[in-house]
Amino acid sequence: MATDQPVRGAVLGLGMIGRHHARILQSDAGMRFAGAVDPGGDRFGALRDPALLFGSVHELLAASGGPPDFAVVAVPTEEHLPAVRELAAAGVHVLVEKPLAATADEAREIIDIVRDAGLHGAVGHVERCNPALLELRRRVNDGQLGEVFLVATERVGPFPDRVRDVGVVKDLATHDLDLVRWLGGGRVDRVAAQTQHRMGRAHEDLVLVTGQLEGGVAFNSVVDWLTPMKVRRTRILGERGMLVADTLRADLMFYENADVPTQGWPAMQALRGVAEGDMTRYALTRHEPLAVELQAFCALIRGEDDALVVTLEEGLETVAVAEAVLASAASGQTVVVRASA
Ligand SMILES: NC(=O)c1ccc[n+]([C@@H]2O[C@H](COP(=O)([O-])OP(=O)(O)OC[C@H]3O[C@@H](n4cnc5c(N)ncnc54)[C@H](O)[C@@H]3O)[C@@H](O)[C@H]2O)c1
């Protein structure tokens, strides 16, 4: 595909997230909107042209404009696999919403289908496109914190009354399980987790995870649907201080360790430990993460092999880690991810 040609994209599922994909596809200069499929209709009034709403993938593919170049799969997680199967059979590239699938087995099947069809696929772990996290990662990789000790995430808030098919681990904590690896620089090696069921649903609504990445960095994540305020916080602690990202506001702060001189007295330095130093809030250029994600996927299908997308293999890894988290919560044991994947 020519690099200057707009890419035609469609959306499957016009729900909480699909409507935003549709908004961007209808407004971004580098994209053309091929239509949306939702048997439930356009509940949120996302489409400018109602003629571009279709009741099935079959109708979308048969529409006068021809099949789209790619489709965003934004249907409930349990329906990702059949949707990918149908799209790939028609030669349509797929950007699949996170989590890639409801189970690691289904995620593997998606990878096989996309590879065998010779198509591009990626996963919508949109937090990786948040400006605060992009800048946090750049600073950590530049060595601002020195050695990294801990990646800690908190993602709590009220229950969004939409999720029916999975619990908080697969629906929400998959953001964190992807981020800790991406930010901490190593795959998840082991996890120990607890879950709670407080709302009377079949699936868990709170999870506490502690774990370790390959390379030794520790992480912990607190994720729930029970808290009456929304918090989205990621912090990385290292030998020179701590970087804290608030992804709701796309803010990034640096809490520096104070440089308190101990006149060449190392024993006293060790005794005093860390002291509070300066705090800096960085001014960031803020782009909408979902638009950045879609632009990167379009770049990939235009032939930019190094486009910043989350690969299907990374998406599978995250689902496998989520399964290890649930296994750990069920057994009360630490689970080694490589062994269980
Ligand atoms: N990246 C993120 O931050 C983020 C945020 C929310 C949801 N998600 C993910 O997006 C997916 C959808 O979640 P949601 O909250 O938008 O769900 P939702 O229930 O709000 O919307 C899903 C929509 O899909 C439609 N649908 C169901 N089956 C379909 C089919 N076969 N073909 C076409 N449309 C179909 C439904 O009618 C509904 O409108 C899930 O995998 C979820 O995990 C990601």
Side-chain angles (χ1 to χ4, degrees), residues 239-296:
E239 61 183 331
R240 298 201 190 109
M242 179 173 75
L243 282 158
V244 183
D246 175 339
T247 53
L248 283 181
R249 293 174 184 75
D251 265 340
L252 180 65
M253 259 85 70
F254 179 43
Y255 295 81
E256 195 174 0
N257 293 349
D259 189 12
V260 183
T262 46
Q263 310 294 343
W265 188 5
M268 178 56 81
Q269 181 76 62
L271 194 67
R272 292 179 67 94
V274 167
E276 276 185 57
D278 295 334
M279 192 272 264
T280 308
R281 178 175 172 275
Y282 297 110
L284 303 178
T285 307
R286 294 177 172 84
H287 298 288
E288 183 179 356
L290 209 62
V292 172
E293 176 185 285
L294 279 162
Q295 286 156 2

Side-chain angles (χ1 to χ4, degrees), residues 6-137:
V7 182
R8 289 182 73 245
V11 179
L12 265 59
L14 281 177
M16 287 306 290
I17 194 76
R19 63 180 163 146
H20 292 294
H21 286 288
R23 169 176 54 79
I24 294 161
L25 279 169
Q26 289 170 103
S27 55
D28 191 291
M31 303 170 203
R32 291 285 175 274
F33 185 52
V37 179
D38 197 318
D42 183 9
R43 282 186 289 148
F44 296 104
L47 304 192
R48 291 184 195 154
D49 178 358
L52 290 178
L53 176 66
F54 302 98
S56 68
V57 171
H58 179 75
E59 284 176 35
L60 168 78
L61 297 172
S64 56
D69 298 311
F70 77 98
V72 180
V73 177
V75 297
T77 302
E78 286 191 333
E79 297 185 42
H80 288 185
L81 172 59
V84 168
R85 197 178 278 129
E86 204 172 354
L87 291 163
V92 178
H93 303 292
V94 285
L95 173 59
V96 186
E97 261 303 341
K98 52 59 50 189
L100 175 56
T103 66
D105 284 345
E106 289 180 10
R108 285 187 197 96
E109 225 177 312
I110 288 178
I111 291 174
D112 290 346
I113 290 169
V114 173
R115 189 197 48 231
D116 292 350
L119 295 166
H120 288 296
V123 191
H125 280 289
V126 69
E127 284 281 79
R128 289 205 201 179
C129 301
N130 188 289
L133 290 176
L134 283 164
E135 180 64 7
L136 181 154
R137 186 170 187 260

